[in-house]
Amino acid sequence: MNEGGEKECTSNQTAVYIQSTPHAWVPARIIQSSLSTNSTTLQVRVANYEEEADIQSDGRDALGGRALRDSEVVDVNLSDYEDGVLPLQNVDESGVLVEVEDMVDLPFLHEAAILYNLKARHMKGHPYTRTGDIVIAVNPYQWMDTLYSDDTRTIYADTLVWNVTSKEHKADDYKKHVKPHVYETSSLAYRGLAVDGINQSILVSGESGAGKTETVKILMSHLASVQASHTDATPATDVKESKSSFRTSPIVARVLDSNPLLEAFGNAKTIRNDNSSRFGKFIQLQFDTEDPIHASYAGKLIPSAVLAGSKCEVYLLEKSRVICHEEEERTYHIFYQLLAAPEEEKEEFWDGLVGTDNESFSYVGWTDTEVIEGKDDATRWNLTRQALGLVGVKGDRLKLLIRTICVVMQLGNLVFEPDPSNEEATVITSTEELDMLASLMGIDAMDIQLALTERTVTARNETFKVPLNDTKARDSCDAFAKEIYARIFHWLVRTINEATSAEKNYKEPLFPKQKKKLEGVFGTIGLLDIFGFESFDVNRFEQLCINYANEKLQQKFTLDIFRSVQSEYEFEGIELGEVNFADNSDVLDLIEGRMGLINVLNEECIRPKGNDIAFVTKIYTMNKDNEATCLIQDKFYRDYEFGLKHYAGPVTYDSTGFVTKNMDNLPSDLSDCAKKSTNELLSKEVGYADSEDPSSSSQIEKKKTPAKKRPPPRRPARGAMQRAGSEKKQSDHSSAPSGRQGLQRKASSSIVAETVWTKFRGQLTELMSNIGQTRTRYIRCIKPNTVKKPLVMQHWSAVEQLRCAGVVAAVTISRSAFPNRLEHEITLDRFAGLWHKALPEVVSSNHTSSTSLDDMEEDEPNKIRDDVQRLLTGALKQLEVVKGDKVTRGFVCGKTRTYFRAGALELLEAERLKSLGLHTVNMQRVIRGFVARVKFLKLRKAAIISQSRGRRVVARKKFKRARKACILIQCWLRCIHAGEELVTLRRNRSAAMIQTHWRMAVAITMLKKSVKSAAIIQAMVRGSIQRPIFRKQLKEAREEAKLENQLKALQRKLEEAEARRIEAEQRAKEAAENPPPAVNTNHQANVSETVASAQPAQQTETSSLTTASTASGAAASTAAKMAAAPVEEKKNEVVVPGQLTAQQQTLMDESGKMLEYLRKEVFKLRSQNSQLRKDFDLLKENNQRLMDANASAGASFAALNQHAKQLNKALTVSKAEVATSKQQVHKLNLAQVELKEELKMKTGTYIAEVHSRLQYQKTMGRIVDTIQERCRDSRLIEDVLAMSDECEMEFAAAGGDMHEMGPAGMAEPGGVGGSPSRAESAKDKSISARFTSYLWG
């Protein structure tokens, strides 16, 4: 506080953090330079961000970026902040966030600084950060191969274990050589065990989904491989062989595969995490350590430690998840893996599994998640079965285990309904499911039904059965299922311990010489994967147990942090006064004290009518003194609700079911039912093991391991020793299994001894005892967001986890006396501008010391420390507090760092910014003068340039006028010459076009004549070829017609002869009936006449038939002979009137037969003749076709040959003509291009001429007007007007010529280009000369 009564808070634009409801902490800039003593508000500027991911602690936004463009001014109440001071940002001179790997190095270490430092590293893909010896692991939600490769493992092992004693690396500065990593913690733990001989513990904590289980697996894998990565581990073998043997070691394989096996039976999918551990575990890796003396004799710098085995303890398995879970969650993985197994394997275990799926069992139910971390349930089943085989669970043991799991699933399918005959009783209506369960357990179905629906009650030595209603029977069935699964889980843990413990499996020690001395003694590195602090909307018994465990671990964590701060101050040579920090001993006293929650709840479990509401009433009644400290009583609480103030914040608990869950003992009816089972695993673990503690996961004989020597603890300050002493008494008091004032008088009660909380307290006490004998290291896992996306951090979620993890408490302890610290070099560099605040003698001494450079070189660290001492003594003079002879300054200088008390560094920052402000004013004055001078010089230079440009414009106008006149005259002359040349070119072009068209006409005429001649020649050739063919075909047609006529005539004659024969027979018949006289003569005459008339016809027919065929001729001759024979015989016979002679009758008969035969033969011959004619015609036609084709082919070939010759000749001529045409076309194209160019040029000339003439006319008009106005000589005026008229006439005549020439100065087709005559040109020259003489004379 200065003399003016104002508190200097901070200077203008100081980077700070302010609290935000949606974002926890947001960066801001102070815009008020100072505030009065009575004022508690401050104005800051805050940038507006659309997304939380965009919020960065970057001071550059306020200086010229986002804050000025999109920001708002906010009033901040300083009373809401600790010590009334806003937390400062860790930014450099340019406003950029200072990101550090070890947050102890942050100048301003507070909750907001931790949040933004973690966020900056998380956004860059750096998941690990240090806070002293604590490693904070932010879940990256992605696997980084380079971060967990074998090379990375080797680097950390070599740097932190094997090469620490070298010159390049020292034990104190190892952090400078490696980045933060969990490998750092595992390597230091290995070194502490191997070199220092102290057992180690690594506590991994965090909420569900923060990556605790994965971190433990990474630590186990690295610890198992540290020895294999070193060449001195096996001197007689090669390094590769050492690594190979390490990977194939059965002990190492069992140890590493035991963790995934526990995941299958103890992990499940929750809303927060797909692979969440629903139990706590403490894994102790056992190492065969080498004695340092033997190692030095063997030439080793670092003793070796070889993994020999492991032991595991589990805590608080979530049994309720066996029977129920949320819709979007799953029960334990093993159920889904078993149901996803192949059908043949299901049938091998139990035939009731065949054809079933998740929905077949109500405890399992439907799920939309079948792939967990990239592997489906079927794949994980194979891995689980292999892991079970490694620990000896195979064959019959595997079958018993799987059948026991099937019993749990089958219990959920039972249906309980009220008994119709008794309302208070219950029956199982699902008889089929009950029979399947009975066959699976090997028990009678009625025994199972009675055990589940009745309860045995013993009172006054009398035992009787009490029926259960359907709700209680269902609860009894669920309790049976939960207990079976819990017992099986702990049996599996014991089995794993038997397979992995060094006492039973490590038969060949690596160092046999130490066997007698250290037989059965192994060094251990413990890995604690414990559930983090939990606070939900509804918190029940499980959350109270979990938070109780976290309170115990937080107490241990707080003491360890206090010891680390103590060692740091002693190293720096600073006197440590009383360190005040938040102590949770009051909460622990409330939970496990004489009237604590544990004892009160146990008493309620003993009372016959104990209930949850009575438990809450008692804890408020018995702990009235603690209501103001850690027991919360709110008027809005219900009867069954109470609240506790934990180290991470207040939590409200719902006590419903506390008494029932705390007892959690299996009824004797169910245990007796389990004893009857033929399943050995079920009967022993559930039936006969009911009196044992199910959480005792190891049956190995626990030998008391002698504690290894540890270095004596450093002696703390007086106040700290008092605090530590009281805490040690409280810890010793709470570590007793049962307090003297508590349950000692009831220790013999089996009910109290077997309560869940009593068991858990015993386990926790033993755990804390084991951890207390080790060197403890901490890894705090942080879940950055709830959407499970990489590179995203939600502020509120991260802040709450930091508080629950105790990171903020650790910072509070480390910074309780001195909240801020800086390196000496940084202090001098940052506050060097405050030397004017020092006293005069201090300044002079500083200057004196600064001149002695030799002394500075001799003892530079001490000189720097002295300089810091001198500087800060004067700068922080106002913060000195004088009490008697003792002066307390606002800072303390250590060996390497300067420690500032509360408010000291803020005051220095304010003074520094003020000093910088003064220098800024001077700099602004100089810069403003410089800017003004620059502006003046620029103005003067601009004036000079403007003047020169004005003069240039005037001169340029004159020059342009003269140049324009010259150009007009030049254009006029060029137009005249161009017109003459254009006329010549047009004439040449017209002549060329005429020649071209004439040649084309001649060529077309010749082509038409050639085409016509070729057509005539082709017609004549085709006629000469086809004419002989036509004559031959005509001749053949005539012969065919002649033969056809002959055949028709022959047929007609045959028909006439047949008619005459029939007529002759008719007449003969009539003559026989009425014989006339002179029969012989007449008859003979008639027969002779008939034969005579028939004979020519037969001969004609025979001749015609002979022409056609030889067979038809022979038949005709035969018929003629037979016809002539009767005639001859008739001459010698005597005709008897009225009848025919026998000879005649015979002849008649023979004639008839002969005629009939002849008819048939004629018909046959006709048919044959017709067929032969058809064949002949066909052959003739084919022959003719062949002849025609041959003749046509020959003619075509000849014609084609001749045509080919003609075409060759024509082609030769055409090629020559085409070549000539191409040349002509090329010439025409060239001429056309030239004409186009000439046309463009002439067009431009014409346009220029027109413009020049218009300009000339305007100029002439101005000249005439000027002469008329100024000239007094009327004669001269008349002459000028006459000359002007003549010029206009000439222009009109020239315009007419140009119009005839066309717009481009070209003559029309058939016309002659207009060219001025010599007289006209001479006249133009005379006129121009006259005008020239007039204008320039």
Side-chain angles (χ1 to χ4, degrees), residues 19 71 184 545 568 629 682 743 787 861 1036 1059-1060 1111 1204 1303:
Q19 296 176 357
S71 63
E184 169 190 329
C545 294
E568 178 186 356
T629 56
L682 183 62
L743 298 176
V787 294
E1036 291 176 355
R1060 285 195 297 271

Side-chain angles (χ1 to χ4, degrees), residues 25-42:
W25 294 96
V26 294
R29 286 271 171 172
I30 298 177
I31 60 176
Q32 182 179 347
S33 60
S34 64
L35 56 98
S36 62
T37 305
N38 299 326
S39 177
T40 59
T41 60
L42 196 67

Side-chain angles (χ1 to χ4, degrees), residues 390-419:
L390 284 176
V391 297
V393 181
K394 49 189 174 182
D396 294 339
R397 296 185 72 187
L398 177 61
K399 187 174 182 180
L400 289 176
L401 175 62
I402 300 303
R403 288 178 68 88
T404 307
I405 296 174
C406 294
V407 169
V408 176
M409 293 191 295
Q410 190 64 22
L411 283 170
N413 290 350
L414 299 181
V415 179
F416 297 88
E417 293 182 359
D419 190 352

Side-chain angles (χ1 to χ4, degrees), residues 555 559 562-563 581 583 585 716-733:
Q555 186 182 46
L559 292 176
F562 174 78
R563 294 191 185 98
F581 55 89
D583 187 11
S585 58
R718 182 177 179 182
M721 289 182 64
Q722 293 175 357
R723 174 73 64 178
S726 62
E727 290 171 351
K728 184 176 185 304
K729 292 178 181 179
Q730 294 170 0
S731 177
D732 295 340
H733 170 72

Side-chain angles (χ1 to χ4, degrees), residues 73 888 1182:
V73 178
T888 303
N1182 292 335

